[in-house]
Amino acid sequence: MTSSPLPPTVAETLAEIPSWGADGASDHLLTGLEPGLNGFLALVRLAAAVRENQHELARSRPLAGRVFAGMFFDPSLRTRSSMLVACAKLGAEYLDLQPDSSLWTLEFTDEVVMDGVAQEHIREAAGVLGRYAQTLGLRAFPTRGQWERERTQPVHRAFAEHAGVPVVNLEGPMAHPCQGLADALTFQDLLGETAGRKLVFTWAPHPHQGLMAVPHSALWAGSSLGMDVVLAHPEGFDLDSEALDEGRSLASASGGTFRITHDRDDALAGADLVYASSWGAISGPEASRSGHADAVKSLRDWKVDTADLSRGKEAFFLHCLPVRRNVVVSDAVLDGPQSGVLDQAENRVWAQTALLLHLMGGVAP
Ligand code: CP
């Protein structure tokens, strides 16, 4: 089946998205900051237009004959399935790569004698995949204890350097850009006008040391939408300092505000959105596995409960999922009317459909 023209609103919104790859380079999305503030907001508008015109769009099959390759070095439910669904909606094929079971072990270091375990170098692996697919997606979590190296997302950068086609970060050490796009759409869905509305992004207890990618991307999303963003976490659980600077800078550019507090009650007062996430410390006593476990024991009251959603205003609850019930957040919140977590997960489909449309040349012939 061939493509047909895009729905007019989708075509008009798509045309507003700038290309951000410098000097003819591909439009990689490794942090989500690459499109710039206006490009990010245009992608969110496109996600809404795609959702609004989903049936007409699916009939037009704008990406028929094109291939997206998804590679997950770490587990996923939502990201992998929502990418599969996004491809299906656009008429594209999804090439499912499972590095643990079906790919050669990769070497990432240049000018190395490959006489160890690795069978294939990233230069050939990425280059070959770039000949098979028009966009690559990649999930690779950080190695703990090496933040200075991991914060640069070296695995993602290596694929981007050698693929010759756009590479999308499907969650890495610093960012989860697809989650950030979906979160921005969800903030708008729940609040309508987001400018000046209060987004509280709060740390929550978890037995494991979670990643900082979702916090960074969600904070950037709220800051891009002109929200009053409050990051609340216990002492010792600072996020990446440059990521926080990005949040401040986006808030300043969009007319929002950005502040950090260790006072949970102060943060939650008057919240419109309460978004919880669990992450581990970068340094200090809480950064070790046992230090984290000890810290969490005394921080269990950071779990989100129903009372936390009505501190002066009725707030919605958000979480990227997966979530540990009654550790991070109570059943009553997740099953209650103020939970937006399923809408948030659904919006992954619309955000990624929009992104693929831009990256894979969705203007039908
Ligand atoms: N939120 C999110 O990225 O979910 P998965 O880890 O299941 O992909």
Side-chain angles (χ1 to χ4, degrees):
M1 204 191 292
T2 55
S3 315
S4 55
L6 290 169
T9 323
V10 172
E12 283 158 26
T13 320
L14 180 61
E16 293 169 11
I17 297 175
S19 181
W20 55 82
D23 302 327
S26 299
D27 282 0
H28 303 301
L29 198 75
L30 304 187
T31 63
L33 297 166
E34 296 90 342
L37 177 57
N38 289 335
F40 178 84
L41 296 176
L43 279 166
V44 178
R45 283 198 300 281
L46 182 60
V50 157
R51 181 176 58 189
E52 180 74 22
N53 296 277
Q54 57 184 281
H55 300 300
E56 202 184 339
L57 179 65
R59 279 194 297 275
S60 77
R61 295 178 54 80
L63 298 187
R66 283 165 239 193
V67 176
F68 171 85
M71 189 181 302
F72 285 81
F73 288 93
D74 291 288
S76 165
L77 187 151
R78 278 142 293 275
T79 306
R80 180 172 168 276
S81 12
S82 55
M83 269 300 186
L84 273 156
V85 172
C87 286
K89 288 184 182 300
L90 293 164
E93 297 294 325
Y94 182 97
L95 174 58
D96 198 7
L97 300 164
Q98 302 287 340
D100 284 350
S101 57
S102 62
L103 293 188
W104 300 113
T105 306
L106 294 177
E107 174 63 62
F108 288 87
T109 309
D110 274 337
E111 298 179 19
V112 67
V113 178
M114 287 177 58
D115 58 357
V117 174
Q119 293 275 12
E120 175 147 40
H121 201 278
I122 181 66
R123 285 173 174 267
E124 286 76 49
V128 166
L129 290 173
R131 300 290 178 98
Y132 297 162
Q134 283 68 55
T135 296
L136 308 185
L138 176 68
R139 169 168 286 195
F141 290 167
T143 309
R144 279 233 148 250
Q146 299 182 22
W147 184 244
E148 281 314 306
R149 176 176 182 276
E150 292 292 333
R151 66 183 305 288
T152 66
Q153 305 194 129
V155 174
H156 294 81
R157 281 193 302 110
F159 271 93
E161 190 178 344
H162 300 297
V165 296
V167 173
V168 178
N169 174 5
L170 300 177
E171 193 172 0
M174 268 295 264
H176 193 352
C178 295
Q179 184 73 52
L181 284 168
D183 287 347
L185 181 61
T186 310
F187 300 166
Q188 291 181 334
D189 289 345
L190 293 174
L191 301 178
E193 177 58 58
T194 52
R197 306 295 292 275
K198 186 171 181 181
L199 166 66
V200 178
F201 196 93
T202 177
W203 183 92
H206 194 290
H208 298 155
Q209 296 163 282
L211 308 186
M212 293 185 286
V214 168
H216 292 161
S217 293
L219 289 168
W220 294 338
S223 298
S224 299
L225 292 174
M227 300 185 76
D228 289 336
V229 176
V230 180
L231 169 63
H233 62 77
E235 288 189 45
F237 287 88
D238 303 65
L239 293 172
D240 181 83
S241 61
E242 285 184 30
L244 296 174
D245 286 343
E246 290 288 356
R248 290 185 192 98
S249 161
L250 287 166
S252 162
S254 69
T257 62
F258 188 101
R259 73 181 173 94
I260 302 169
T261 179
H262 304 312
D263 183 338
R264 187 172 184 274
D265 292 330
D266 168 60
L268 290 169
D272 291 295
L273 301 177
V274 176
Y275 191 146
S277 190
S278 310
W279 63 93
I282 297 173
S283 58
E286 296 86 1
S288 69
R289 195 172 293 183
S290 61
H292 181 85
D294 289 345
V296 167
K297 274 184 213 151
S298 63
L299 294 167
R300 294 200 197 286
D301 54 356
W302 282 72
K303 180 187 85 177
V304 179
D305 216 330
T306 44
D308 297 323
L309 302 186
S310 51
R311 306 273 193 107
K313 258 190 193 172
E314 294 300 298
F316 292 102
F317 175 76
L318 296 172
H319 189 285
C320 68
L321 307 179
V323 67
R324 290 203 179 215
R325 284 176 170 254
N326 303 310
V327 176
V328 172
V329 55
S330 67
D331 283 340
V333 168
L334 280 173
D335 299 332
Q338 286 154 264
S339 174
V341 299
L342 296 185
D343 296 324
Q344 193 181 0
E346 182 194 319
N347 280 341
R348 296 292 305 277
V349 170
W350 308 120
Q352 291 154 207
T353 304
L355 180 65
L356 293 185
L357 203 48
H358 168 72
L359 295 179
M360 294 166 74
V363 181

